[in-house]
Amino acid sequence: MSDKGEPNARRPVVEMLGIEKSFPGVRALNNVRFDLYPGEVHALMGENGAGKSTLMKILTGVYQPDAGEIRVDAAPVALPGPNAAQALGISIIHQELFLMNHLSAAQNIFIGREPRKGFGIFVDEDQMKRDAAAIFQRMKVNIPPGAEVGHMTVARQQLVEIAKALSYNARVLIMDEPTSALNETEVEHLFTVIDDLKAHGVGIVYITHKMDEVKRIADRVTVMRDGQYIDTLPAATTPMSTIIQLMVGRELADQHRATGHGTEEEVLRVTGLCRGTAIRDVSFSLRRGEILGFAGLMGAGRTEVARAVFGADPIDRGTIHVRGQERRIATPADAVAEGIAYLSEDRKHFGLVTGMSVRDNITMASWYRYISGRFFMRDAVMDGVAKEYVEKLRVKTPSVGQITRLLSGGNQQKVVIGKWLLRDCDILMFDEPTRGIDVGAKAEIYRLLEQLAAQGKAIIVISSELPEVLRLSHRIAVMCEGRITGELDGRTATQEEIMTLATQRNAAAA
């Protein structure tokens, strides 16, 4: 292991040496090494498909390595399954949530490990809630232990998942994109928890694509690329540009601000949109060739507005004009018929059929184009179209026949984008379009959205990442508690101005 960035001379709690792993047709890991010390945060970085998740699945016993050695406290160990890893104090928080929606927060945290009473016959619900409340208090989050998980926002569900992992009192805690659904306040709460875990000697593997988080929380950074170990560096003194270049193997062009402002042709106008307390008298317009950014904190109502315009949720009142004509959009089918597409933030449940192939997912919204006769699909044509979008979006997949659930999260997102691009809608609403996507793929998505705008598409981008909103938007609508509190010129707006509007709760309530 490289000495660069090594925190001290203490013995690593975990070492992975010469790890190799292959799947049919794919060499996922090639002589990879990684180590973790007690009380440090070691960031593991790389583009989607670099092998990070595979390496961590080996460390947690999900996969068995083809070659190499794993050591815990300097002793070689075998990890035949997840239970063996947990017995050694190795726990993971997955990027994809594994919660049971019909159970409470406390029940999800302690499922299979519930405290008992009455000679072990009955579950001690009160004790379980007290134990869950203690974990939430430590995390400094206000979640009722008895609240049903299915009624929570994605952000709160993520926090329950984190609490579940913390409940194992792990010595090694793997966090895979833990902040992807958290707002800035919740992220700071998580970082406070991480600081406390470090102080108690817990070693943390932190997988993220967010450079600012690495600088804020990590002690060391290990970079992987194409299934290989690249380097280990100190987080505090290594420039972000160096890390990015190691990840992608190439320099990325400097980010710039959006230029121009689209045409004067208005393609969408929303007036007085209301839905309970989630959407309060929202009005905005969208022009052809324009990217309109929606910014705001978690729960501000951005997603709710997009879902209402798309017909996914009913509205109480308000009007929607498409290309100058008032339209009644009661269902997503109505929206698609009007040339409106919506890329949901929850792509796994609302954007994909994960058991179907990449080809079938890309062509799903345009299936009617590929009917031959009355009952047959033109498979060869569909294959060709799907391959075109796989290449255009740089989807990493062995073939267009690959089952979509076997792709990484970032590549699954690209498949959803390909579906709507093939449908050729004029109005595109992207909700968190690059969540969980690595820096190289982000740059490609940014260029793609700009190209679509230049071709005359009208685009709405909802993003929790302020640099992303500033990077893409011609105009920025800022929301707080269901209302639009201000609009900014994307070419001159600052993060400070956006955050000021995003926290104007008193003004929003007025």
Side-chain angles (χ1 to χ4, degrees):
M1 174 60 116
S2 170
D3 291 333
K4 292 178 285 186
E6 186 173 300
N8 50 47
R10 293 177 298 165
R11 183 174 65 188
V13 62
V14 164
E15 294 173 276
M16 306 182 76
L17 304 171
I19 303 297
E20 298 192 5
K21 182 67 177 178
S22 294
F23 300 99
V26 179
R27 191 171 191 181
L29 298 175
N30 181 16
N31 194 28
V32 174
R33 47 185 165 156
F34 182 83
D35 65 9
L36 178 69
Y37 285 82
E40 79 157 332
V41 175
H42 193 157
L44 182 59
M45 304 193 72
E47 293 191 272
N48 288 340
K52 308 183 299 295
S53 294
T54 301
L55 187 67
M56 290 301 101
K57 285 179 179 178
I58 289 175
L59 182 56
T60 53
V62 176
Y63 293 156
Q64 307 306 307
D66 298 332
E69 184 177 61
I70 301 173
R71 299 175 185 170
V72 175
D73 295 328
V77 298
L79 300 173
N83 289 339
Q86 285 186 349
L88 291 170
I90 301 171
S91 187
I92 185 169
I93 302 166
H94 295 278
Q95 181 179 356
E96 299 289 345
L97 303 182
F98 290 93
L99 298 172
M100 302 187 73
N101 287 340
H102 66 286
L103 298 181
S104 70
Q107 289 168 333
N108 270 280
I109 292 170
F110 295 104
I111 189 166
R113 303 174 292 128
E114 299 88 348
R116 297 281 173 169
K117 63 182 179 179
F119 301 101
I121 299 174
F122 304 105
V123 173
D124 192 339
E125 294 280 354
D126 292 336
Q127 183 61 51
M128 187 164 56
K129 289 179 181 178
R130 286 194 294 270
D131 291 344
I135 298 174
F136 287 137
Q137 184 176 8
R138 182 179 181 184
M139 293 172 62
K140 297 181 175 62
V141 295
N142 182 24
I143 296 179
E148 189 173 312
V149 166
H151 294 155
M152 294 181 184
T153 63
V154 174
R156 285 180 168 257
Q157 289 179 352
Q158 177 77 310
L159 292 172
V160 172
E161 191 74 82
I162 292 169
K164 181 168 69 173
L166 295 180
S167 72
Y168 284 93
N169 295 316
R171 300 173 59 213
V172 174
L173 184 59
I174 302 162
M175 295 185 169
D176 189 355
E177 298 284 356
T179 65
S180 62
L182 306 184
N183 65 31
E184 293 185 10
T185 300
E186 290 162 339
V187 169
E188 284 303 316
H189 286 167
L190 173 62
F191 288 169
T192 299
V193 172
I194 291 175
D195 289 337
D196 180 69
L197 292 170
K198 287 179 60 178
H200 286 83
V202 177
I204 297 170
V205 182
Y206 197 91
I207 302 174
T208 185
H209 296 118
K210 299 178 180 179
M211 296 297 168
D212 58 331
E213 291 185 1
V214 172
K215 287 294 185 181
R216 163 67 175 82
I217 204 67
D219 298 296
R220 293 188 294 159
V221 180
T222 286
V223 177
M224 295 180 64
R225 185 173 71 240
D226 297 329
Q228 295 184 316
Y229 167 87
I230 302 299
D231 206 351
T232 298
L233 302 160
T237 57
T238 303
M240 291 185 185
S241 58
T242 298
I243 296 173
I244 293 173
Q245 288 173 28
L246 290 173
M247 288 171 60
V248 301
R250 61 188 184 278
E251 285 195 34
L252 296 176
D254 290 336
Q255 290 192 351
H256 61 279
R257 291 294 185 94
T259 58
H261 52 74
T263 69
E264 296 301 318
E265 181 186 352
E266 185 179 272
V267 294
L268 178 68
R269 173 169 290 277
V270 174
T271 306
L273 197 67
C274 295
R275 182 172 181 265
T277 59
I279 307 173
R280 308 184 186 194
D281 195 27
V282 167
S283 301
F284 65 91
S285 64
L286 179 67
R287 297 189 288 262
R288 186 174 299 280
E290 175 184 47
I291 299 178
L292 173 64
F294 267 77
L297 300 176
M298 193 70 67
R302 300 164 301 163
T303 293
E304 288 78 2
V305 168
R307 286 179 58 84
V309 172
F310 191 62
D313 293 330
I315 63 174
D316 298 332
R317 61 182 181 275
T319 59
I320 299 173
H321 287 76
V322 181
R323 289 177 285 277
Q325 300 293 318
E326 183 175 346
R327 299 299 187 192
R328 182 179 180 274
I329 299 177
T331 67
D334 295 337
V336 173
E338 295 293 340
I340 302 173
Y342 173 54
L343 178 69
S344 169
E345 64 175 336
D346 190 353
R347 295 159 193 73
K348 184 176 180 181
H349 292 97
F350 300 113
L352 293 167
V353 179
T354 56
M356 291 172 58
S357 68
V358 171
R359 184 200 73 173
D360 290 342
N361 272 282
I362 288 177
T363 58
M364 183 187 305
S366 309
W367 62 270
Y368 59 90
R369 302 178 186 174
Y370 308 108
I371 297 176
S372 177
R374 300 179 66 179
F375 303 107
F376 300 100
M377 305 300 289
R378 296 157 62 195
D379 290 338
V381 177
M382 293 170 69
D383 281 343
V385 169
K387 287 177 183 177
E388 176 186 344
Y389 281 90
V390 162
E391 292 173 2
K392 182 183 297 184
L393 298 174
R394 296 182 64 178
V395 180
K396 292 184 179 179
T397 176
S399 72
V400 295
Q402 176 79 314
I403 299 301
T404 309
R405 70 166 175 269
L406 300 179
L407 302 184
S408 68
N411 284 304
Q412 288 180 357
Q413 293 175 19
K414 292 182 184 179
V415 170
V416 184
I417 293 174
K419 175 180 72 174
W420 289 121
L421 295 182
L422 176 59
R423 187 63 174 77
D424 199 27
C425 292
D426 291 328
I427 300 168
L428 305 171
M429 297 187 292
F430 292 91
D431 197 347
E432 304 289 359
T434 65
R435 175 173 289 168
I437 290 181
D438 58 70
V439 290
K442 275 190 178 185
E444 295 166 6
I445 296 298
Y446 293 162
R447 285 193 291 270
L448 178 59
L449 293 180
E450 290 167 344
Q451 291 169 3
L452 291 171
Q455 294 167 11
K457 304 293 187 185
I459 299 172
I460 291 174
V461 170
I462 300 168
S463 178
S464 299
E465 297 185 29
L466 295 187
E468 182 165 275
V469 173
L470 292 168
R471 165 71 173 79
L472 290 170
S473 307
H474 298 104
R475 287 185 297 134
I476 301 170
V478 186
M479 293 191 67
C480 178
E481 296 187 343
R483 300 177 188 269
I484 292 180
T485 53
E487 184 181 294
L488 302 169
D489 187 328
R491 295 166 295 184
T492 59
T494 66
Q495 293 193 35
E496 291 76 13
E497 288 176 322
I498 293 175
M499 287 306 300
T500 299
L501 292 171
T503 54
Q504 280 191 354
R505 290 179 170 85
N506 291 335

